[in-house]
Amino acid sequence: MVREPSDSFAAGAAYIGGSIVPIGQAAIPILDLGFLHSDATYDVVHVWNGRFFRLDDHLDRFERGMTKLRMSLPIDRERIRELLHDCVRASGLDNAYVELICTRGMAAPGSRDPRDCVNQFYAFAVPFAWVANAEQRERGLSLHVSSVQRIAQESVDPTVKNYHWLDLVQGLYDAFDHGAETALLSDAAGNVVEGPGFNVFAVIAGALVTPKVGVLQGITRRTALEIGAEFESDLGLRVEERALSYEELLGASEVFVTSTAGGIMPVTLVDGRAIGAGIPGPVTQKFTARYWKMHEDIRYSEAIR
Ligand code: PLP
């Protein structure tokens, strides 16, 4: 059942147990292994000015994640799309952060076999949230490269969007302890990989570099790579997906992070050292403008029904 937007839905709306409810009333069963074991995959897509951005790309990634985790749902892609539209419409939000989740579900009483579980689908829409606030986007984020190592890709596949966030959260506290605003984690080889909810890019001597492995294949990362290809000759920048070392990051002329939660956002300080001129650079600004312009393009966006 879909309800009309009302005040109780202003903080958001969720699809849970077969109906759309105000976000404050949405609760999952405590025995769902999505909660007890982080046995879940999810995706986050955003709505900007009443339009989903790259919804099909998010649905593709969500379905790939489910397949890798051997999960399945009794509803198809079009029903999922409809439920996401329903959540946003019920919330009445023009700019929203929309999450879709598939959990393992509950095991049969006494069973520890994940094959006995009935996988569950949940979704919600809440007001749009940013990795960097307005002031940080204006002056650039201050970032700390944490000594907390990103969980190995051989242990948890980072291309399956997952809730194994303890390393990212510990990294964030580490960053706060070092007087920075956010964190970037490295892999076992010492190359930087990703941060809490974002991928990273660096402009280094005529190249735009982003880590290739050990990261979520972010939809915003992909958008930035496409923008990079479009501007390649214009800016004289070639796009490189490869390992990115800490030293290269420090020596970059520009650094930015990418996330559904805010798009393309500048980083101007890494471990207290200024990146380039210490202000958001021209590449970052050009990419940011292009990114937001793409939201009006019907090839990348669809209006809330
Ligand atoms: N890396 C991690 C670990 C994330 O959780 C996210 C998003 O939440 C990203 C990268 C960025 O991905 P996207 O651009 O699809 O939001």
Side-chain angles (χ1 to χ4, degrees):
M1 183 189 66
V2 182
R3 303 185 201 174
E4 290 306 308
S6 71
D7 281 346
S8 64
F9 282 92
Y15 171 77
I16 196 154
S19 47
I20 305 276
V21 298
I23 192 78
Q25 292 172 23
I28 62 160
I30 201 165
L31 292 179
D32 189 319
L33 293 174
F35 172 65
L36 292 179
H37 289 179
S38 278
D39 191 349
T41 186
Y42 75 110
D43 219 291
V44 177
V45 54
H46 69 284
V47 170
W48 197 251
N49 291 333
R51 306 180 71 83
F52 274 110
F53 186 61
R54 305 196 82 148
L55 179 54
D56 276 293
D57 295 322
H58 287 276
L59 292 173
D60 284 345
R61 185 173 67 182
F62 183 63
E63 287 173 357
R64 278 196 306 272
M66 280 176 48
T67 304
K68 284 188 180 170
L69 297 185
R70 304 186 190 210
M71 289 173 171
S72 62
L73 289 170
I75 51 174
D76 66 10
R77 186 188 182 104
E78 286 319 302
R79 180 67 183 137
I80 291 176
R81 185 194 306 275
E82 201 171 81
L83 291 170
L84 299 180
H85 276 267
D86 289 351
C87 284
V88 177
R89 195 169 57 251
S91 75
L93 293 164
D94 274 338
N95 300 323
Y97 178 100
V98 184
E99 188 151 337
L100 52 159
I101 307 157
C102 180
T103 66
R104 187 70 60 197
M106 284 189 278
S111 167
R112 292 183 64 81
D113 187 337
R115 294 170 299 182
D116 292 340
C117 297
V118 179
N119 303 157
Q120 299 293 316
F121 177 76
Y122 307 103
F124 63 83
V126 291
F128 189 81
W130 300 80
V131 164
N133 64 33
E135 193 235 320
Q136 291 166 338
R137 297 197 300 278
E138 182 76 25
R139 65 158 157 81
L141 281 162
S142 148
L143 185 146
H144 170 59
V145 179
S146 177
S147 55
V148 177
Q149 195 176 299
R150 184 76 174 115
I151 194 164
Q153 60 171 342
E154 292 78 10
S155 303
V156 175
D157 181 349
T159 68
V160 177
K161 201 165 157 64
N162 64 72
Y163 290 131
H164 293 265
W165 266 59
L166 292 185
D167 54 352
L168 297 170
V169 174
Q170 286 308 112
L172 206 43
Y173 274 101
D174 187 26
F176 298 153
D177 290 345
H178 283 81
E181 291 161 332
T182 193
L184 191 60
L185 271 55
S186 305
D187 61 15
N191 293 309
V192 299
V193 279
E194 59 186 348
F198 55 79
N199 294 109
V200 65
F201 285 74
V203 178
I204 303 162
L208 179 66
V209 182
T210 192
K212 183 182 172 74
V213 295
V215 297
L216 178 75
Q217 302 293 306
I219 305 298
T220 325
R221 173 186 184 275
R222 175 169 165 189
T223 308
L225 288 171
E226 288 169 5
I227 296 172
E230 185 185 325
F231 288 154
E232 211 159 35
S233 53
D234 221 22
L235 295 173
L237 267 188
R238 62 187 183 281
V239 175
E240 291 180 6
E241 290 179 77
R242 62 163 173 84
L244 175 61
S245 73
Y246 177 66
E247 292 69 30
E248 281 183 304
L249 186 77
L250 279 185
S253 58
E254 292 187 38
V255 172
F256 61 80
V257 295
T258 62
S259 173
T260 294
I264 293 170
M265 293 160 283
V267 171
T268 47
L269 272 182
V270 174
D271 288 338
R273 289 165 65 169
I275 296 300
I279 52 170
V283 174
T284 308
Q285 285 174 345
K286 191 161 179 154
F287 275 49
T288 306
R290 180 78 186 104
Y291 172 78
W292 288 107
K293 189 84 191 138
M294 284 169 79
H295 287 61
E296 299 158 15
D297 188 330
I298 54 163
R299 285 174 299 166
Y300 301 105
S301 65
E302 66 183 61
I304 300 303
R305 295 171 189 159

